Amino acid sequence: MRTLLFTRMLLIKKQAFSTFIWLVMPLVLTTVLIHWMTDVVEDGQVPVAIVDEDNSELSKAFIQELQQIDLLNIQLMSKQKALYALEKNQIDSVFIVKRHFEKQLRNNKRHHLIEAYSTNRSYFYFAVKENISSLAQRKATQAKAAHEVKKLLNKYESDIHWSFDQIVAEGEQREERYELLTVDFSFYNESSTPTKKDVLLSPWGIWAFFALISTFYLLDWIIKESNHPVVVRWLQTKISYTTYFFNTLGFYLLFMFGIDFLTYQLLETKFVWFEFLAIVIFRLSCVALALFVAVHMKHTLSYHFITPIITLLLTFLGGAFIPIEQLVVKWPLLSGISPVYALLQWDVSLIWSIFIVLVCIYVYRKESSRFA
């Protein structure tokens, strides 16, 4: 083993920098792109000032729900500071939660709850107003429902004594439980159920794209060394070329798995073994594919030319760039074409697991017969 490592270090000495770059490239570029996309999203948010004159529990909850709207950058300010920022065009519009906001809602009064200010440069004012108005209307509707429930409880002299807040909380729980705004439908005896919203350009989709490219370029040593004239000298050595070949491949895999483990720790907040297993199988799939292509190539130029084509094809078919959930429902076999799809679903692809084993057997026999 020491001799093999020494031989590998001699061969990799002139390519140490490029090898290191290809190893860390998926992690570095994925991190950079994620931060860049985060900045783009934040820059694309509409700056809106909120003035909380009521400062009640209900007004604070209302503002917290506004802050969860992705397209709005809610900034809490005083009225004087907010109007000054609006005059300087630092924000798009100002919305003031009036005094007695909570008291009026509890008393089933909906008028003059929120006051709005805008200028002729408030380009997103109407869209923002609709979002805030709809949320305020929802709060008002919940308050009205709570009043009606209390009336019914009093009318029928019920033993249940619920407060206003308890009724509103129960109503919100029922909305989440029964998904009142979600509709299932059937069309020509084919049922359709709501599916989870697809995330476009997920971090792991980006990483999968760069991981495929880096794996291919890391394994170009197979072509360079297997087709070199000096390879015939393995006939005169104690160690067979097949042993050297697979030990070198294992040497590269250890470094890849180490970088993958670090990547998973940085991108995910909680470590889940099955998810990391999906990453390991994905990496092995990439290595098996690169290995299968490399043993059939004699020139690195052709190998480097076909690498981007295979990478783009697999990432597109895997749903890294565009959602393919509807296509997978229609053609289930599509989910097994690309290892990227299994990775994004945190699943282990049976097809690619079999492919890994078959490629290892095929390459072992091919390399063993080279100097037989």
Side-chain angles (χ1 to χ4, degrees):
M1 179 60 69
R2 185 180 299 177
T3 305
L4 288 172
L5 289 176
F6 180 73
T7 306
R8 183 71 257 158
M9 294 306 297
L10 286 177
L11 293 172
I12 206 174
K13 187 176 181 180
K14 294 184 179 180
Q15 301 177 358
F17 180 74
S18 62
T19 302
F20 175 77
I21 292 297
W22 288 119
L23 276 172
V24 301
M25 183 193 76
L27 172 59
V28 172
L29 291 185
T30 301
T31 305
V32 169
L33 281 177
I34 289 172
H35 284 292
W36 176 76
M37 288 190 296
T38 303
D39 292 338
V40 168
V41 170
E42 290 179 355
D43 293 339
Q45 291 179 327
V46 180
V48 177
I50 297 291
V51 181
D52 188 5
E53 290 185 345
D54 190 43
N55 200 27
S56 62
E57 293 296 327
L58 192 57
S59 65
K60 290 178 181 178
F62 174 72
I63 294 172
Q64 286 179 356
E65 289 193 42
L66 286 177
Q67 290 173 334
Q68 294 175 4
I69 301 176
D70 295 334
L71 298 178
L72 300 183
N73 180 14
I74 302 296
Q75 303 175 24
L76 285 173
M77 298 182 182
S78 63
K79 183 176 180 180
Q80 184 178 0
K81 186 177 179 181
L83 294 177
Y84 179 78
L86 179 64
E87 186 178 346
K88 293 295 182 181
N89 297 317
Q90 295 175 355
I91 55 177
D92 184 78
S93 50
V94 177
F95 292 87
I96 301 175
V97 180
K98 302 294 289 182
R99 293 184 187 276
H100 309 301
F101 176 81
E102 182 176 21
K103 183 179 179 181
Q104 286 185 300
L105 282 179
R106 289 179 182 272
N107 293 327
N108 199 21
K109 296 180 181 179
R110 308 186 183 188
H111 301 292
H112 308 295
L113 297 175
I114 299 174
E115 186 177 345
Y117 291 89
S118 63
T119 65
N120 56 354
R121 294 188 179 182
S122 300
Y123 301 113
F124 301 97
Y125 168 71
F126 292 103
V128 175
K129 184 184 73 171
E130 289 299 323
N131 277 275
I132 295 179
S133 298
S134 63
L135 185 57
Q137 184 67 28
R138 179 187 171 196
K139 291 294 182 184
T141 303
Q142 290 175 346
K144 183 178 180 180
H147 279 284
E148 293 297 328
V149 171
K150 288 183 71 67
K151 285 181 181 179
L152 291 172
L153 292 176
N154 294 330
K155 180 179 178 181
Y156 294 101
E157 299 179 354
S158 173
D159 295 333
I160 301 174
H161 300 285
W162 281 358
S163 65
F164 178 88
D165 294 330
Q166 287 177 328
I167 296 173
V168 171
E170 181 65 22
E172 290 179 347
Q173 290 179 4
R174 286 179 178 272
E175 286 181 13
E176 295 178 0
R177 191 185 309 159
Y178 295 108
E179 299 181 343
L180 300 180
L181 297 179
T182 303
V183 179
D184 299 343
F185 64 92
S186 61
F187 183 72
Y188 285 109
N189 297 325
E190 293 183 3
S191 61
S192 176
T193 56
T195 57
K196 186 178 179 181
K197 184 178 179 181
D198 297 313
V199 179
L200 191 61
L201 289 180
S202 68
W204 289 108
I206 299 172
W207 178 84
F209 173 75
F210 292 119
L212 271 166
I213 291 180
S214 66
T215 303
F216 271 90
Y217 283 109
L218 278 171
L219 297 185
D220 63 353
W221 62 268
I222 297 173
I223 302 174
K224 295 176 181 177
E225 297 177 13
S226 297
N227 297 318
H228 198 279
V230 78
V231 76
V232 296
R233 296 186 180 180
W234 284 104
L235 290 169
Q236 303 172 355
T237 59
K238 296 180 180 180
I239 305 171
S240 66
Y241 179 75
T242 306
T243 303
Y244 164 77
F245 182 92
F246 280 97
N247 276 275
T248 303
L249 191 62
F251 175 77
Y252 274 89
L253 276 174
L254 286 177
F255 280 99
M256 291 180 189
F257 290 151
I259 298 296
D260 293 346
F261 180 80
L262 178 62
T263 303
Y264 183 79
Q265 292 285 69
L266 291 174
L267 295 183
E268 296 292 329
T269 55
K270 183 180 179 181
F271 186 86
V272 180
W273 279 108
F274 189 79
E275 291 181 355
F276 185 69
L277 176 62
I279 294 176
V280 170
I281 297 299
F282 173 77
R283 177 64 80 171
L284 289 174
S285 301
C286 296
V287 170
L289 184 61
L291 191 61
F292 183 77
V293 175
V295 295
H296 292 91
M297 291 283 183
K298 293 186 177 181
H299 304 286
T300 55
L301 182 62
S302 303
Y303 179 77
H304 291 163
F305 176 77
I306 200 173
T307 293
I309 299 175
I310 296 176
T311 301
L312 286 172
L313 183 63
L314 290 178
T315 47
F316 270 107
L317 291 176
F321 298 146
I322 55 174
I324 61 168
E325 293 297 331
Q326 298 298 328
L327 295 177
V328 171
V329 172
K330 191 174 182 180
W331 298 298
L333 291 177
L334 190 63
S335 61
I337 294 179
S338 173
V340 178
Y341 182 81
L343 174 68
L344 296 181
Q345 304 297 319
W346 293 124
D347 195 8
V348 175
S349 175
L350 178 61
I351 295 176
W352 282 90
S353 300
I354 296 173
F355 176 76
I356 294 168
V357 175
L358 293 178
V359 167
C360 289
I361 296 173
Y362 172 77
V363 173
Y364 179 80
R365 290 184 176 181
K366 183 177 176 63
E367 297 301 323
S368 298
S369 62
R370 179 190 289 265
F371 303 109

